[in-house]
Amino acid sequence: MKRLTNTHSGDSLKILRKSSILWSVMPVAVALLVSFPSYALTFDTSYNPSMLTDFGTSNFALIQSDVQYVTNLYSSLYTNNVTLNISLTADTSPGALAASLPTYDQSAIYSYSQIRSALIANASTPASVSATNSLPSTDPSILKGGYIMPSAESKALGLLAGNATGTDGTIYVGTNIGGGSSWDFAGTSTPNANDYSFINALEHEMAELMGRTTQLTNNTWAWNGPMDLFRYTAPGVINMDPNATGVYFSTDGGATVAKLYNPPNTNGADIQDWFNSTTPDPYDAYATPGSFAPLSLVDQQMMNTLGWTSSSAAVPEPDTYTLMFVGLGVLSFIVRRRKVF
């Protein structure tokens, strides 16, 4: 196994091996996607010019189709009345796969009581109600320095206006994966043995922008994140030590292991990602080549627990993906500054 280092300060999806200008686009090939019901969660997605220049016209059209698929999927699963402003940019670093850089408002630091109340108020499923109601009445953190979260999750929890402007985060897409591997942009089909599903990478990174991230390994500040409250090592024992092992996500106060988190010091992989098992998952720490994995029930339970309201009419992710390409188009350009923090 080889881990390829993320050169950005955000979270990254690692590789598991076998041996600001925005673009408003009418692409040359417009993909007609599997349709999902329309809900209140919407995405305003923009593309840095590097996405076209580095990937080329044909692949850029496929990338847009895959992005539309993922945003439609998340909009069908979660109904929060918010708009998320997401940008994508190419990463030419050798060996880079994908990474996310959420936007944080460092002036908005919340107390444990505020976070706990917001999580409980936004719980929308039996699992998320159980998970949030299992939180103790007093702050279980080590630092006691307060809580910070990506702006997208602040919107979901009602702590930031749902229509607040400004970028909610950036996804960096590797252009030079290396090792004989490349992206598979063909929707939800199974990639070739050495290639990686772009859909799964987008699902992984998009969820991090939406709050599926940790602050325990961030040495820049002494704050925690909401997801850090759901790290258990035993029933009733929340463990917020970033070096702890055997840590797992649970929706019933630690009584049941829903998913193991990735252990620390495994080539620098993110500790809030799932520990890779025999069944690949989009939220795993390491991407698996030659595999496409639909979002799991536990993935959705995690996002529900973080404040993303479940849709009672949620549509499961299909195993097949139909693309029809039509028409010719033109490109127009809009200039906007990219906000990082």
Side-chain angles (χ1 to χ4, degrees):
M1 284 185 259
K2 179 182 178 184
R3 182 244 180 194
L4 302 182
T5 304
N6 167 31
T7 59
H8 303 284
S9 59
D11 299 306
S12 61
L13 176 63
K14 310 304 183 296
I15 293 179
L16 180 62
R17 295 195 184 277
K18 288 188 173 181
S19 44
S20 215
I21 297 176
L22 309 184
W23 300 67
S24 175
V25 182
M26 294 174 60
V28 172
V30 180
L32 302 181
L33 307 174
V34 174
S35 62
F36 296 99
S38 177
Y39 296 107
L41 173 59
T42 59
F43 290 83
D44 182 359
T45 307
S46 59
Y47 299 87
N48 185 279
S50 61
M51 292 297 291
L52 176 61
T53 57
D54 289 351
F55 285 101
T57 301
S58 297
N59 281 336
F60 183 49
L62 294 174
I63 287 170
Q64 290 178 283
S65 298
D66 286 352
V67 170
Q68 189 64 56
Y69 171 86
V70 173
T71 56
N72 283 352
L73 173 64
Y74 278 144
S75 293
S76 76
L77 293 173
Y78 313 117
T79 63
N80 307 65
N81 187 20
V82 305
T83 297
L84 301 185
N85 307 303
I86 306 298
S87 63
L88 282 81
T89 191
D91 183 354
T92 59
S93 304
L97 190 62
S100 65
L101 187 62
T103 297
Y104 292 91
D105 181 0
Q106 297 184 47
S107 66
I109 309 302
Y110 300 95
S111 68
Y112 172 70
S113 177
Q114 289 175 304
I115 292 299
R116 180 176 180 270
S117 296
L119 291 170
I120 291 174
N122 282 272
S124 57
T125 63
S128 60
V129 168
S130 173
T132 55
N133 282 333
S134 296
L135 293 174
S137 58
T138 57
D139 190 353
S141 70
I142 299 171
L143 298 176
K144 304 290 193 291
Y147 289 78
I148 192 171
M149 72 198 81
S151 59
E153 187 178 10
S154 295
K155 290 179 177 181
L157 292 176
L159 300 173
L160 178 66
N163 61 351
T165 59
T167 302
D168 291 305
T170 300
I171 294 174
Y172 294 87
V173 183
T175 64
N176 183 19
I177 298 175
S181 297
S182 60
W183 286 116
D184 185 298
F185 297 120
T188 62
S189 63
T190 301
N192 293 329
N194 292 321
D195 296 340
Y196 294 90
S197 167
F198 188 60
I199 289 281
N200 280 172
L202 285 173
E203 291 169 336
H204 182 107
E205 304 301 340
M206 194 81 71
E208 290 182 342
L209 297 183
M210 295 167 68
R212 194 185 60 81
T213 187
T214 181
Q215 299 304 318
L216 299 181
T217 54
N218 190 333
N219 297 320
T220 304
W221 52 52
W223 304 313
N224 304 292
M227 187 175 176
D228 299 331
L229 293 168
F230 302 98
R231 298 177 59 84
Y232 290 89
T233 49
V237 180
I238 297 174
N239 192 317
M240 299 174 75
D241 179 357
N243 297 310
T245 58
V247 185
Y248 57 92
F249 171 58
S250 176
T251 61
D252 55 10
T256 304
V257 178
K259 274 274 194 178
L260 286 171
Y261 287 112
N262 191 55
N265 303 317
T266 54
N267 297 321
D270 298 329
I271 64 171
Q272 87 278 1
D273 290 336
W274 303 139
F275 178 68
N276 280 68
S277 64
T278 55
T279 303
D281 187 291
Y283 294 174
D284 283 346
Y286 294 88
T288 302
S291 170
F292 171 80
L295 289 177
S296 67
L297 176 61
V298 179
D299 295 340
Q300 296 174 53
Q301 288 175 339
M302 168 57 76
M303 299 304 288
N304 297 151
T305 299
L306 294 175
W308 294 98
T309 304
S310 175
S311 166
S312 59
V315 177
E317 188 169 4
D319 292 328
T320 58
Y321 185 88
T322 303
L323 295 177
M324 295 178 61
F325 298 101
V326 297
L328 297 174
V330 296
L331 303 176
S332 61
F333 309 94
I334 304 172
V335 179
R336 184 184 300 170
R337 188 189 313 173
R338 176 170 65 87
K339 177 181 177 185
V340 176
F341 293 103

